[in-house]
Amino acid sequence: MSLLLPFPRATAPLTLDDLDGIAKIYPHGEPDHLKIVRPQIEQRASLIKTWGIKPGEKVLEIGCGQGDCTVVLATAVGDGGSVTALDPASLDYGSPYTLGQAQAYLKASSVGPRITFVQADPIAFLAQTTERYTTAVLAQCSWYFASPQVWSDILAALLQRVDRVCVSEYALSAGDPRAAAHVLATFAQAALEVHKDGGKSTSNVRTVFSPARLKSAAISTGLKVESEILMRPPEGMLDGKWEVGWVLSAGFAKEIDDHVKDEREKAVVIAARDSVQAAVELLKAKDEKVATMDIWVATFVKEA
């Protein structure tokens, strides 16, 4: 892995429309990596514009990971705002850069003074903090939760600390037919994950929620939907390619053998994997590549 390169100092304040400028202060070691980062930043900026996050806001981001949404949030809130970016994962977790490396890099950037990174369980953090926030953001992180109850518990805790909750998650739909393989790969991973301990898993898909289930749980905790849309990811966003690649890898096949002992249950996971392979072969026949599935974007506020 390349060392993180020094980021260019901004000569003027960044805005959400300066996607290249934001991408250049996100960690990347080699020039080609910018091609991967740029669509991610574009998608995060689209989220934040949809949610209407304004300068001066005090944002709590749950599931910040390496900070691709954090850096865009910090741009949006400006010098008068702040982002508390929370993630329970080990600082050694992540690739090509660990959470610790990426977060340290962003802290040293031009928007770093606006960011506070916290390594903590979200529910434990919300139980002990006395801070109030204008907005909580959960951007494509719910599938990392160990169980559906974690999602409900986080929302219940947020009710006491925020004015609104902004959520995005993969929608399990393929408005672009090239994304069908990504949807199938998600269910293949989910079929394997139910045979693991969710609290110890390090997979990208640990608990699958549909938008309907996320929304139902939010309403049950006392929130109401203020707005919701489906968003098509930018061309070049590689999440679908990465997830499909993992499902078709030898490592995934080994995990099936390691974790699924019942032959009928194993047949289900293998069939799910085979369906991903079949979808990829159809794309290859048309000289097309895997795309990333739709993203559900919603804003919730407290019931009056």
Side-chain angles (χ1 to χ4, degrees), residues 84-273:
T84 299
L86 183 68
D87 200 296
S90 167
L91 296 180
D92 293 331
Y93 176 78
S95 176
Y97 308 113
T98 66
L99 267 66
Q101 289 174 317
Q103 292 176 8
Y105 189 78
L106 290 177
K107 280 295 292 179
S109 76
S110 58
V111 299
R114 307 170 189 173
I115 304 170
T116 300
F117 286 107
V118 180
Q119 184 190 13
D121 174 80
I123 297 170
F125 174 83
L126 289 164
Q128 60 83 32
T129 187
T130 59
E131 296 289 337
R132 282 199 59 84
Y133 303 89
T134 57
T135 302
V137 166
L138 298 96
Q140 285 128 262
C141 67
S142 71
W143 290 1
Y144 287 92
F145 297 159
S147 71
Q149 189 60 47
V150 174
W151 169 249
S152 296
D153 290 345
I154 288 174
L155 293 179
L158 285 172
L159 279 175
Q160 310 306 316
R161 292 282 166 250
V162 303
D163 298 328
R164 62 176 183 155
V165 180
C166 296
V167 179
S168 69
E169 192 51 87
Y170 294 109
L172 299 176
S173 64
D176 182 341
R178 297 175 301 162
H182 185 197
V183 177
L184 293 170
T186 297
F187 286 109
Q189 292 182 72
L192 174 59
E193 281 297 306
V194 296
H195 298 278
K196 299 182 185 179
D197 181 341
K200 295 180 179 178
S201 176
T202 59
S203 299
N204 289 344
V205 181
R206 303 173 199 178
T207 301
V208 174
F209 295 94
S210 67
R213 296 301 297 173
L214 290 169
K215 185 163 56 174
S216 175
I219 292 169
S220 296
T221 62
L223 293 166
K224 65 178 181 179
V225 179
E226 184 177 67
S227 65
E228 61 178 324
I229 65 167
L230 280 183
M231 179 179 291
R232 187 76 60 84
E235 194 71 32
M237 189 170 165
L238 299 179
D239 297 57
K241 175 184 176 181
W242 293 330
E243 298 300 337
V244 167
W246 164 239
V247 168
L248 298 182
S249 71
F252 188 84
K254 183 178 186 303
E255 286 205 357
I256 296 174
D257 287 335
D258 290 345
H259 294 284
V260 189
K261 302 306 178 184
D262 181 89
E263 286 303 309
R264 292 180 67 203
E265 293 173 347
K266 182 175 287 189
V268 171
V269 186
I270 292 173
R273 183 174 187 257

